[in-house]
Amino acid sequence: YLPNSGCSFKAKYSIYTDNLTNYNGSNAFSSAKFNFLYAYPITKQLTLLPGVNGRFLFGNEIPFPYLNYIGGNIPGRYIDQQIPFSGVNQIISTGNIVMTGNLNLRLQIFKNNYITAKGNIGYDSGKISHIFSENKYWGAALSYTIDSFFGPIEMEFSTSSINKFGVYLNCGKYF
């Protein structure tokens, strides 16, 4: 749960149809999604965690359940296309093209006790050519985690351009 080295990369491409060629009488639409996270140990107790996430929707008349969403701490916790974003504890819909970058710094202060400073930035747009010029979000959080026998227990305080202040409490591992 609290890695201090290594990387994770996930990518997914989906085509949505209801008869192998169309969706609801119109052209099929598709999505491309990616997540990258790297854990770089600066020292034995200090780990830098940069990451990038994105999801692109291609097509017209995309149904509401397939739109892009950002928010929360866990990718896909509430819906498959949810992209985590510090400072936004609920999920909010975004444009058809969304990208986020995050930079976390985790310090082990005692055995199984960690403080993490989190920062992220996000962009969304209706078109890929406008991704950095339409909507911009920022978020930050500070969390304290105890890696217990029952799994991690975490308390996080956050803020963002969307929510002024938030508190998040997690008990146990993510599945």
Side-chain angles (χ1 to χ4, degrees):
Y1 171 75
L2 297 161
N4 62 2
S5 67
C7 71
S8 170
F9 177 74
K10 297 176 187 172
K12 179 179 178 181
Y13 180 79
S14 301
I15 298 176
Y16 298 91
T17 72
D18 56 9
N19 65 3
L20 298 178
T21 59
N22 294 321
Y23 187 88
N24 203 23
S26 188
N27 290 332
F29 64 95
S30 62
S31 71
K33 181 179 179 179
F34 66 90
N35 307 87
F36 175 76
L37 179 63
Y38 184 72
Y40 178 77
I42 296 172
T43 67
K44 190 173 180 178
Q45 289 81 25
L46 188 63
T47 304
L48 185 66
L49 299 136
V52 178
N53 301 289
R55 186 164 187 261
F56 305 152
L57 293 170
F58 305 101
N60 298 319
E61 300 179 32
I62 296 168
F64 184 75
Y66 299 101
L67 296 178
N68 292 325
Y69 296 88
I70 63 168
N73 287 352
I74 307 163
R77 177 168 209 162
Y78 301 113
I79 51 177
D80 183 51
Q81 63 270 27
Q82 175 187 350
I83 295 173
F85 199 83
S86 295
V88 181
N89 290 339
Q90 77 283 8
I91 58 172
I92 61 165
S93 65
T94 65
N96 287 353
I97 309 297
V98 62
M99 288 182 61
T100 67
N102 58 283
L103 187 62
N104 299 345
L105 190 62
R106 185 173 53 229
L107 176 66
Q108 181 179 5
I109 54 174
F110 304 110
K111 182 178 181 183
N112 298 327
N113 288 258
Y114 302 87
I115 293 177
T116 306
K118 305 174 181 182
N120 47 220
I121 192 164
Y123 298 92
D124 84 80
S125 173
K127 295 183 177 183
I128 198 162
S129 60
H130 300 142
I131 186 65
F132 296 114
S133 60
E134 287 190 13
N135 299 314
K136 180 180 177 180
Y137 313 99
W138 62 265
L142 186 64
S143 71
Y144 175 72
T145 306
I146 299 171
D147 197 8
S148 74
F149 173 77
F150 301 104
I153 299 170
E154 176 182 26
M155 177 166 257
E156 177 179 285
F157 299 96
S158 63
T159 186
S160 71
S161 57
I162 297 165
N163 295 338
K164 296 286 183 206
F165 180 74
V167 177
Y168 177 77
L169 178 65
N170 175 65
C171 298
K173 296 181 179 180
Y174 304 133
F175 291 95

